[in-house]
Amino acid sequence: MTLAVVQSSTLQGLMQSEAERFVAEHPRSVAMAGQAAQVWRGGVPMHWMGDWACPSPIFAMQGVGAQITDVDGKLYDDFCLGDTPSMFGHGDAAVALAVSDQIRRGAGFMLPTASSIIVGRLLAERFGLPLWQTATTASDANRAAIRWARAVTQRPVILIFDGCYHGMVEDAFVVLRDGEAVMKPGLLGQVHDLTATTRVVPFNDIAALEAALAPGDVAAVLAEPVMTNCGMILPQPGFHGALRSLTRDAGALLILDETHTLSSGLGGYAGLHGLAPDIFVVGKAIAGGVPAAVWGVTADLSARMEAAQARIGPGQSGIGTTLSGNALAMAAMRAMLTEVMTPAAYERMLAGAERLVTGLKAVIAARKLPWSVVHVGARIELVFADRPPKNAADMRKALDHDLVTALHLWLINRGVLIAPFHNMMLASPVTEDASIDRLVAAVDGFAGALEGLSA
């Protein structure tokens, strides 16, 4: 039997036995799940918390460094890290001290603090754009960037890449199906046809990008420098250069959402590769898990924003929320930018990522698996395809739901957490070599189990 046959014919038995093991070893989490179902719709405070491969949610008790302990006393090597907000580790002492000090003096005032000036300077130095605004999440930041792009250019269309993810931004819930733009399956409560003002093309397809920009109605291209949420898809050589030149030629702004690619280096992927966005967005990890995001703009775009605001006149802009830029978030960002997100921290993260990539590739080679590994900075993806896909359409073919679920459940039962949505793994500055080796060994054990099923 081949591996493909195992996936379709006998994987269910493996998943059943692993599910039974989970229930037996997590009595308190299972009991708490029953209690939570009585008060939280779907059994969890936010429905994504129910998207793990295990039969019921794991209830966390604490996180220290790159490990989590659950209510059953089980310890996990954490390569999910809150799906990125805790990318630099749980319970960092510098952030804890800054947040504790600020909360005693007030969480927010609808007024700037002295720390906000320092944070603004630090953002400009690190990411290269001179002027900044805050938001509570990257979703909010992306929404603000899109609204401003339309105001400045007086154009209606936003261009995105098939398979992208930009939080809860309505304009990004469009995908390609058989070459046609459609709203994402499962989208709730959407009453307007998003395809009327959102154009979508495959990532890495320069010809399609040029054609989509040709009508001259695109306000902005909203892009992740590396596609990270439909499986990881790297840009092909020359793609980013073409993206920047084509957007400039078409009079469209370029918004880079680096919420996930912040793992690349001190200045994000754009800083590492010399990209030049008009707007730069980053959330999640920027405040060490305290809800916060920031977005920066060039001086030229800021001047255009002023002109647009003068043209539109006074009133409500529809941009901003009360909690954005609060003192607590500023204190956390200041600590992150000065004490946590340091060159030494990135050096440790990237070294750990390299160790993990090397280990996973060794398993693939030794067992002759039709899999591959993709990574950007400290973010690593195990792909169930022998060649890393170059676009979302090809990646979707590799995302075998049952195989992904079986791997995740196998890892959970062996004390390893990776992001629940696909095979994404993060190395943090405090991830120990032993934890990386345990993850590699667990993946190897899973591959061995598949071989046993195919024997």
Side-chain angles (χ1 to χ4, degrees):
M1 291 168 59
T2 66
L3 189 58
V5 174
V6 169
Q7 293 171 25
S8 60
S9 64
T10 62
L11 207 51
Q12 293 300 323
L14 174 64
M15 287 192 285
Q16 180 61 35
S17 64
E18 291 295 318
E20 292 170 357
R21 172 176 171 174
F22 177 89
V23 171
E25 294 181 355
H26 296 80
R28 294 196 67 191
S29 275
V30 171
M32 286 183 176
Q35 296 166 12
Q38 299 174 24
V39 292
W40 294 108
R41 204 202 76 79
V44 286
M46 203 278 279
H47 68 93
W48 292 4
M49 294 177 180
D51 286 345
W52 296 78
C54 37
S56 63
I58 297 168
F59 279 72
M61 186 168 64
Q62 70 171 2
V64 178
Q67 292 184 312
I68 289 175
T69 304
D70 72 10
V71 294
D72 288 287
K74 290 191 170 293
L75 184 67
Y76 300 88
D77 295 314
D78 186 13
F79 292 88
C80 173
L81 297 169
D83 195 27
T84 300
S86 299
M87 183 168 69
F88 292 86
H90 300 289
D92 182 86
V95 176
L97 180 62
V99 169
S100 176
D101 175 66
Q102 184 61 56
I103 200 71
R104 285 195 294 267
R105 295 185 290 111
F109 317 107
M110 189 58 79
L111 294 168
T113 61
S115 281
S116 67
I117 299 172
I118 296 170
V119 169
R121 289 171 178 164
L122 291 168
L123 291 169
E125 290 170 5
R126 178 162 299 216
F127 299 114
L129 288 91
L131 297 164
W132 292 82
Q133 284 281 276
T134 63
T136 307
T137 70
S139 295
D140 296 329
N142 282 321
R143 285 194 184 104
I146 288 171
R147 188 75 69 87
W148 273 113
R150 285 175 167 149
V152 165
T153 63
Q154 300 183 67
R155 295 176 175 183
V157 175
I158 300 299
L159 196 154
I160 61 171
F161 293 102
D162 184 31
C164 71
Y165 180 75
H166 300 287
M168 286 181 62
V169 176
E170 290 83 355
D171 301 87
F173 281 87
V174 178
V175 296
L176 287 175
R177 286 291 181 268
D178 300 322
E180 296 295 325
V182 299
M183 289 194 290
K184 278 189 175 181
L187 185 59
L188 289 168
Q190 182 59 46
V191 296
H192 302 293
D193 182 3
L194 297 173
T195 64
T197 52
T198 296
R199 201 163 292 152
V200 56
V201 298
F203 196 64
N204 284 317
D205 191 332
I206 295 173
L209 174 64
E210 185 172 15
L213 289 168
D217 56 356
V218 174
V221 174
L222 174 60
E224 303 168 271
V226 175
M227 300 280 281
T228 62
N229 218 70
C230 60
M232 191 181 298
I233 304 170
L234 299 177
Q236 295 298 293
F239 176 72
H240 274 298
L243 172 61
R244 181 65 279 192
S245 63
L246 287 172
T247 48
R248 282 184 175 138
D249 290 346
L253 300 178
L254 176 59
I255 307 168
L256 290 185
D257 181 354
E258 290 238 33
T259 298
H260 282 176
T261 54
L262 186 63
S263 70
S264 302
L266 276 177
Y269 191 94
L272 188 63
H273 296 275
L275 309 185
D278 299 294
I279 304 177
F280 181 100
V281 173
V282 64
K284 290 192 177 181
I286 194 67
V290 174
V294 292
W295 54 283
V297 300
T298 63
D300 176 69
L301 178 56
S302 179
R304 295 175 67 187
M305 290 163 70
E306 295 290 341
Q309 199 161 32
R311 182 182 70 250
I312 294 166
Q316 292 187 338
S317 67
I319 295 172
T321 58
T322 305
L323 289 175
S324 298
N326 66 74
L328 192 66
M330 285 295 173
M333 280 193 279
R334 179 177 176 178
M336 287 296 294
L337 290 165
T338 56
E339 300 184 63
V340 182
M341 296 168 58
T342 62
Y346 271 100
E347 185 177 348
R348 290 192 296 272
M349 289 169 66
L350 297 177
E354 192 60 40
R355 184 184 185 94
L356 179 52
V357 168
T358 300
L360 292 173
K361 286 183 175 180
V363 170
I364 291 169
R367 293 193 179 273
K368 298 181 172 57
L369 296 166
W371 302 348
S372 55
V373 181
V374 183
H375 83 289
V376 57
R379 183 176 294 268
I380 301 100
E381 186 90 21
L382 177 64
V383 181
F384 294 139
D386 57 356
R387 294 175 182 269
K390 297 179 181 179
N391 56 54
D394 289 341
M395 183 62 81
R396 291 184 186 109
K397 298 172 185 175
L399 290 174
D400 184 307
H401 175 74
D402 285 348
L403 192 57
V404 169
T405 300
L407 170 62
H408 286 221
L409 184 52
W410 178 279
L411 294 177
I412 288 169
N413 280 340
R414 285 145 188 88
V416 178
L417 301 179
I418 66 174
F421 309 111
H422 40 94
N423 293 336
M424 192 278 288
M425 310 161 194
L426 270 170
S428 85
V430 290
T431 301
E432 297 178 353
D433 287 351
S435 295
I436 293 169
D437 295 344
R438 285 191 289 269
L439 170 52
V440 172
V443 172
D444 185 51
F446 177 72
L450 293 183
E451 290 176 1
L453 291 173
S454 66

